[in-house]
Amino acid sequence: MNLNSKSSIKFYSGEEIPVELHKVRIVQKLHLRPIDERLAAIREGGFNTFLLSTKDVFLDMLTDSGTNAMSDNQLASMHHADDAYAGSQSFYRMESAIKEVFGKSLVLPVHQGRAAENIVAKAFVKPGDVVPMNYHFTTTKAHIDLNGGEIAEIFTDQALIVKSNNPFKGNLDIEKLKALIAKYGKERIPFIRLEASTNLIGGQPFSIANMREVRKVADQHGIIIVLDASLIGENAWFIKQREAEFANSSIKEILQTMCGICDIVYFSSRKVSSTRGGGICTNNKELFLKMRDLVPLYEGFLTYGGMSVREVEAMAVGLIETTDETVISQSPGFIDYTVKELDKLGIPVIMPGGALGVHIDAMQFLPHIPQTEYPAGALAAAFYIVSGCRGMERGTVSSVRDENGNDILSDMELLRLAFPRRVFTLSQTKFVIDRMHWLYKNRDLIGGLKFVDEPKVLRFFVGRLDAVSDWPEKLVAKYKADFGDSL
Ligand SMILES: *Cc1c(COP(=O)(O)O)cnc(C)c1O
């Protein structure tokens, strides 16, 4: 098999390694602070990794949003961007790239993914509506709620199982979809939303077979399908790897097939295309016109949509590069490698590996910490202390309180370590695995957290917490004893 269609290469020793199929031509210096300084930094940041300054962060694994590496061709393209309020050539190049990659010719530019969600929700969702989806994303749900609708998550029973060998945990449950339509009627369902590589449940893909089933049900009732394509490159890669019918298809064919099944496609190009910005596309003139007039109102004129034309140029190049297997396989390849290594060490991690990051199950990692003391938040803070790497809490800290002031406990307590596309090397990845291994062996030393300053809305962004005991100092003391130095 050609290396281009694999994400790893076999060494003479038998080891399978995700070799980088790119070279580094622009670099940024990183800082690995001594552990005492890391402890001081996380205290200063209220045990919340969002509040760390990057000068104190070694590997920034907070998110893959706007943090991916751009290619030489993308950077070069930014120099011939066409600055014009209306009719910019940069927009026409973006439009033509979208047609080539997603097969849709009516294009609306927007400043980022959530802006596309605002337009789609404003155009189609009305009070009392229900939007079925395989899983929600935070900003998607917010926009549907704001327009008076609600979401209905109809993922399969497999979706939330941590350790699984199900290749398509992102599939939508067809029986639940039929039941939902029978219950609400098509009048209350403005569209069915499919999210490629479901972000919040471990970057898990759906299959084209599942999409076709969804299409069949949608057609029976005359309901449209909207695809969130922010993580579509990886979903297409997983389809090629895991769905037999497409083993010999090109990524471009798979992308066109996926988008061809859906009526409207929108995306955050902070993820797909490794730039910043976003877009909405369709081949349906009537749907297009329902959305078009909202773009100048909320985003900007129809040929820039709130984006810098330099980003528009780089997006056009980046979208074409999404059809290159060596580009889109890098992040899933490194994630797959990391997940398998962590699993071998007995560390509870979401399997199979998905898109965007590695997700560690904090409830199994820290069974001694009750959910009311935020095990995923504690794990994120502890991992920063012992490695200088910052991940993101995706658990009860990211949830809210009920009317009595009690935490609404989240379904899963996850620490997400994002792998921005083509940013980290294998030795950095091995460092992450090694420090996680040490932390797992010393997990009994980790204690819980409590809020000391808690905003009412989206508390996870700027809320401040503290350790419930002196566990961080004990963790640091053990680390120094084991490593004999402070890095
Ligand atoms: C990131 C993301 C969004 C929102 O995009 P932004 O550019 O951050 O506004 C929407 N949907 C999914 C699936 C995402 O991953």
Side-chain angles (χ1 to χ4, degrees):
M1 195 187 249
N2 182 328
L3 180 56
N4 285 356
S5 52
K6 294 183 59 153
S7 59
S8 62
I9 188 167
K10 202 174 214 153
F11 278 17
Y12 185 47
S13 65
E15 204 182 353
E16 293 246 2
I17 294 288
V19 169
E20 295 85 349
L21 291 175
H22 54 267
K23 66 177 178 179
V24 178
R25 294 180 62 209
I26 295 181
V27 297
Q28 181 180 353
K29 184 175 158 65
L30 292 173
H31 304 277
L32 181 54
R33 305 266 181 220
I35 194 165
D36 289 323
E37 291 180 26
R38 303 198 294 255
L39 177 59
I42 197 76
R43 277 207 177 288
E44 174 97 352
F47 287 84
N48 179 350
T49 55
F50 276 100
L51 299 181
L52 290 167
S53 162
T54 56
K55 73 177 173 32
D56 298 319
V57 173
F58 177 43
L59 304 179
D60 191 357
M61 308 182 95
L62 188 73
T63 174
D64 66 329
S65 176
T67 55
N68 303 292
M70 279 205 248
S71 71
D72 48 358
N73 288 325
Q74 284 184 289
L75 280 171
S77 76
M78 294 173 109
H79 288 287
H80 62 80
D82 179 22
D83 273 307
Y85 190 90
S88 166
Q89 295 310 298
S90 302
F91 174 71
Y92 299 127
R93 286 189 275 269
M94 167 186 168
E95 198 180 43
S96 121
I98 287 177
K99 174 138 208 285
E100 183 178 335
V101 178
F102 296 155
K104 305 276 189 217
S105 51
L106 301 168
V107 174
L108 296 168
V110 293
H111 80 274
Q112 65 185 87
R114 69 199 67 183
E117 294 173 328
N118 175 42
I119 306 281
V120 170
K122 278 216 160 61
F124 300 105
V125 177
K126 56 183 191 317
D129 279 356
V130 177
V131 182
M133 56 185 67
N134 50 344
Y135 209 78
H136 79 282
F137 185 69
T138 50
T139 53
T140 323
K141 177 177 182 320
H143 283 293
I144 290 169
D145 288 352
L146 268 175
N147 285 282
E150 60 180 288
I151 61 162
E153 282 172 331
I154 45 177
F155 49 81
T156 65
D157 297 340
Q158 302 277 319
L160 302 185
I161 296 173
V162 173
K163 189 168 174 174
S164 155
N165 53 15
N166 186 311
F168 293 113
K169 289 201 280 182
N171 278 352
L172 188 129
D173 189 311
I174 303 298
E175 292 312 312
K176 289 184 198 156
L177 176 63
K178 288 179 184 163
L180 193 92
I181 297 173
K183 180 168 171 198
Y184 293 101
K186 68 170 190 175
E187 294 72 25
R188 286 182 62 191
I189 302 178
F191 56 85
I192 298 166
R193 175 177 172 277
L194 291 177
E195 181 178 308
S197 308
T198 47
N199 190 325
L200 296 187
I201 49 171
Q204 300 293 316
F206 49 62
S207 65
I208 287 180
N210 183 249
M211 294 184 86
R212 288 178 178 146
E213 290 288 314
V214 175
R215 180 82 252 178
K216 217 184 288 169
V217 176
D219 283 345
Q220 279 160 6
H221 301 276
I223 301 174
I224 61 169
I225 302 177
V226 174
L227 173 65
D228 181 331
S230 304
L231 303 173
I232 196 173
E234 288 79 7
N235 201 126
W237 167 254
F238 290 128
I239 285 172
K240 185 169 168 96
Q241 304 301 305
R242 302 176 185 177
E243 192 166 1
E245 182 186 339
F246 297 94
N248 298 314
S249 304
S250 69
I251 296 297
K252 195 188 262 185
E253 285 162 354
I254 295 172
L255 289 170
Q256 297 242 359
T257 305
M258 294 171 80
C259 294
I261 293 169
C262 305
D263 301 282
I264 295 173
V265 176
Y266 76 84
F267 56 91
S268 164
S269 48
R270 298 178 66 84
K271 283 85 177 249
V272 66
S273 86
S274 301
T275 49
R276 286 138 209 103
I280 309 172
C281 57
T282 179
N283 283 331
N284 182 320
K285 192 77 192 255
E286 197 186 322
L287 299 177
F288 176 77
L289 290 177
K290 281 195 179 146
M291 298 183 283
R292 187 190 61 182
D293 294 348
L294 296 168
V295 173
L297 190 59
Y298 291 102
E299 300 300 305
F301 191 68
L302 292 173
T303 55
Y304 74 91
M307 283 181 279
S308 141
V309 282
R310 274 160 279 282
E311 296 290 344
V312 173
E313 282 287 350
M315 187 202 298
V317 176
L319 284 170
I320 305 279
E321 289 177 352
T322 299
T323 63
D324 179 339
E325 293 180 12
T326 70
V327 173
I328 54 163
S329 66
Q330 190 275 337
S331 173
F334 271 59
I335 291 165
D336 183 61
Y337 173 82
T338 307
V339 160
K340 285 178 179 155
E341 293 297 314
L342 291 174
D343 181 57
K344 274 188 225 159
L345 297 167
I347 297 167
V349 59
I350 290 196
M351 295 188 83
L356 108 121
V358 167
H359 298 75
I360 293 166
D361 180 3
M363 280 205 265
Q364 283 185 60
F365 199 111
L366 301 171
H368 56 285
I369 301 182
Q371 272 190 283
T372 48
E373 289 184 7
Y374 313 124
L379 184 57
F383 189 60
Y384 169 73
I385 293 170
V386 305
S387 69
C389 304
R390 72 161 164 185
M392 190 189 289
E393 191 270 2
R394 296 274 80 165
T396 299
V397 174
S398 301
S399 179
V400 290
R401 290 189 189 268
D402 63 18
E403 60 273 17
N404 302 318
N406 297 318
D407 277 313
I408 299 179
L409 304 179
S410 88
D411 286 338
M412 300 184 100
E413 293 285 339
L414 301 177
L415 166 60
R416 184 185 82 187
L417 300 173
F419 276 76
R421 296 157 188 81
R422 295 192 292 179
V423 170
F424 299 130
T425 65
L426 192 63
S427 64
Q428 291 170 334
T429 304
K430 287 190 163 199
F431 175 81
V432 167
I433 295 164
D434 181 75
R435 289 307 191 260
M436 191 60 80
H437 185 197
W438 183 86
L439 192 60
Y440 189 61
K441 291 284 177 207
N442 291 279
R443 62 192 182 278
D444 292 344
L445 291 174
I446 304 174
L449 298 175
K450 56 178 189 243
F451 268 103
V452 291
D453 177 10
E454 185 177 344
K456 288 233 158 14
V457 185
L458 295 174
R459 63 182 185 177
F460 64 93
F461 277 131
V462 294
R464 307 183 76 83
L465 302 100
D466 196 3
V468 295
S469 66
D470 64 349
W471 67 260
E473 284 72 19
K474 292 201 169 110
L475 191 68
V476 168
K478 178 72 175 9
Y479 185 95
K480 286 183 183 170
D482 282 3
F483 286 101
D485 75 19
S486 60
L487 281 183

